[in-house]
Amino acid sequence: MTMAHSWTQINLDSLAWNHRLITSRISPKAQLLAVVKANAYGHGMIPVARHLFELGVRWFGVANVQEGRHLREVLPQASILVLGCILTDDVPVLFEHDLVPTVSSLDFAAELNARAERRNMRKAVHLKVDTGMGRLGISTGSLEEFLSQISFFDHIRVEGLMSHFSSSAEDDLAISPAPSRLYENTVRRAEAAGLPLQWVHLANSSGIFRLPQSHYNLVRCGLFLYGLYPEAGYRFNFGLKPVLEWKAKVGHVKEFQAGQTISYGRTHAVTRATRIAVIPVGYADGYNRRLSNRGRVLIRGEFAPVVGRVTMDHIMVDVGHIAGVCGGDEAVLIGRQGQPVIRAEDMAQWLETISYEVVCAIGPRVERRVVPIGVARLDRE
Ligand SMILES: *Cc1c(COP(=O)(O)O)cnc(C)c1O
């Protein structure tokens, strides 16, 4: 057996905690759709989705048919909505694996209709309207035209209508109610056109907490299930627990004299005699190169700064101020060690990005370890 150089720990207790917290906040009429695209935001789609299914979640959101097919293998009973673009070539996969597509164009609807007709069935779809996101979705201006055309497609059953916020996390509270009202209007127009909508949905994580009127009867939640806020200092903190920790083993530690330089480009020169720990994680694992001379890790419960450039497979950290650091010590890249903690939101701030990108970037070389329910709790007591 070999040792993992770097691994994430996925804590199912925290996932269950977040799920409970979120479901206690959503309208009693609404169900939760768990968004598990992008390998469950880097957490590992299969263990996360399986556990959420055990907790009673029946709707799951993926980005594309490849993710949908993969999820279908382990959750034969779940409803799986494909949120992103679907290429015409991938349409057969929707039928083979019973995936629900998001429809934003008549061409795509026509393709689905033709396929469904050949199979002598009606394909359930969710229509998406664009209420200001400017990405996928039917423009609200061409909605009536769209609805009258789609009514000719006998092999399509429109069971859902959805839209997506462009600014749910932004501080400007004035932005979100506008799409919400526009959407309300869209729902009425669709119903007036005779569509019996079974599912009406708009809210993502931030929308769930900030705009209760956006819950309708389904909410699509990703980030908050993972216990993350969009960025450091997000002003609605309501006790979510981060599900993911990212750790690595110290490779080796060596003595440096004043003036010696570290890593490519010699961007860091030590100013005093110190010790430097080499940690086998690099940008190939998703430890962003912009953390060069900027990131921090935890070793023996203390912060140690990343010195010099992040390389493909290694980073170097200054541990001159921490007694006794040696090869094999655990280094925490994201997570807690004693009291000090590094949150994904902190790393996002160092990188001038959002927590979503930080966790999604954790690469396939990083082993995913799942901490089963109950174990972490015992650990801490
Ligand atoms: C990714 C995604 C979500 C989830 O958003 P969070 O902010 O992570 O909750 C919801 N809806 C759509 C259409 C998405 O693509």
Side-chain angles (χ1 to χ4, degrees):
M1 216 180 81
T2 59
M3 295 284 292
H5 286 170
S6 139
W7 67 97
T8 59
Q9 236 160 264
I10 304 303
N11 189 333
L12 295 184
D13 275 332
S14 301
L15 182 65
W17 168 273
N18 299 333
H19 171 260
R20 202 165 47 237
L21 202 62
I22 295 160
T23 48
S24 75
R25 297 279 197 116
I26 62 182
S27 148
K29 281 179 282 177
Q31 283 195 32
L32 180 108
L33 178 150
V35 179
V36 294
K37 65 193 177 190
N39 200 23
Y41 295 30
H43 291 59
M45 180 173 73
I46 298 304
V48 164
R50 261 205 183 118
H51 192 59
L52 289 170
F53 191 85
E54 276 172 31
L55 295 174
V57 175
R58 290 298 173 264
W59 271 102
F60 291 85
V62 295
N64 54 44
V65 299
Q66 286 75 19
E67 292 179 352
R69 177 167 54 191
H70 189 39
L71 186 58
R72 178 58 78 210
E73 284 169 18
V74 295
L75 295 183
Q77 306 296 328
S79 298
I80 302 176
L81 180 65
V82 181
L83 300 166
C85 275
I86 301 165
L87 303 175
T88 309
D89 287 348
D90 286 335
V91 166
V93 186
L94 294 170
F95 289 89
E96 285 152 26
H97 299 279
D98 190 21
L99 308 174
V100 181
T102 302
V103 171
S104 301
S105 83
L106 274 178
D107 286 349
F108 183 65
E111 177 71 24
L112 278 176
N113 189 60
R115 288 271 175 184
E117 184 168 12
R118 254 182 271 165
R119 288 176 179 251
N120 200 20
M121 65 171 303
R122 291 188 88 185
K123 184 70 176 157
V125 307
H126 288 210
L127 292 188
K128 186 164 192 182
V129 289
D130 184 354
T131 50
M133 175 66 190
R135 192 175 61 180
L136 301 176
I138 307 145
S139 304
T140 48
S142 40
L143 188 68
E144 266 71 29
E145 167 74 10
F146 189 97
L147 292 174
S148 72
Q149 293 287 327
I150 206 163
S151 66
F152 295 112
F153 294 150
D154 291 335
H155 293 270
I156 284 182
R157 184 167 59 85
V158 178
E159 69 163 29
L161 184 69
M162 64 185 285
S163 187
H164 189 50
F165 284 127
S166 58
S167 316
S168 63
E170 250 89 303
D171 255 355
D172 185 359
L173 274 162
I175 297 176
S176 288
S180 196
R181 276 195 303 275
L182 190 53
Y183 185 60
E184 196 79 42
N185 180 272
T186 305
V187 173
R188 276 197 296 273
R189 284 153 73 194
E191 280 169 351
L195 287 185
L197 297 173
Q198 196 181 343
W199 300 104
V200 176
H201 48 119
L202 173 60
N204 69 326
S205 290
S206 291
I208 292 171
F209 283 79
R210 295 185 63 190
L211 284 175
Q213 69 268 35
S214 71
H215 292 186
Y216 302 100
N217 66 357
L218 192 65
V219 297
R220 303 185 305 268
C221 186
L223 196 71
F224 285 177
L225 278 172
Y226 307 110
L228 302 174
Y229 300 100
E231 50 202 7
Y234 185 68
R235 60 190 172 109
F236 306 91
N237 186 323
F238 34 77
L240 297 170
K241 295 183 181 175
V243 172
L244 174 146
E245 293 189 284
W246 187 8
K247 300 179 178 182
K249 292 272 187 196
V250 170
H252 81 142
V253 181
K254 59 185 187 178
E255 308 281 335
F256 272 62
Q257 301 307 318
Q260 277 187 279
T261 60
I262 295 172
S263 195
Y264 294 122
R266 303 178 176 222
T267 59
H268 181 86
V270 303
T271 53
R272 57 183 158 74
T274 190
R275 279 168 300 119
I276 300 293
V278 180
I279 301 174
V281 65
Y283 60 74
D285 303 289
Y287 199 86
N288 198 295
R289 190 167 170 277
R290 281 177 295 139
L291 294 168
S292 302
N293 292 312
R294 197 185 282 193
R296 300 200 289 176
V297 308
L298 287 167
I299 298 178
R300 299 197 169 216
E302 298 202 47
F303 289 102
V306 173
V307 286
R309 290 212 177 123
V310 172
T311 71
M312 187 183 288
D313 308 315
H314 299 94
I315 56 174
M316 277 63 81
V317 300
D318 194 323
V319 292
H321 58 297
I322 311 171
V325 178
C326 57
D329 276 2
E330 198 169 279
V332 172
L333 314 176
I334 294 175
R336 182 179 291 281
Q337 207 177 45
Q339 270 311 54
V341 60
I342 298 172
R343 296 195 48 127
E345 295 88 335
D346 298 324
M347 194 179 276
Q349 191 167 35
W350 302 335
L351 288 165
E352 295 170 56
T353 184
I354 51 178
S355 60
Y356 294 81
E357 188 185 2
V358 166
V359 285
C360 284
I362 301 173
R365 195 163 70 176
V366 179
E367 185 184 313
R368 264 67 176 179
R369 294 185 189 164
V370 177
V371 183
I373 209 89
V375 171
R377 212 177 299 136
L378 292 176
D379 247 12
R380 277 177 207 145
E381 272 159 14

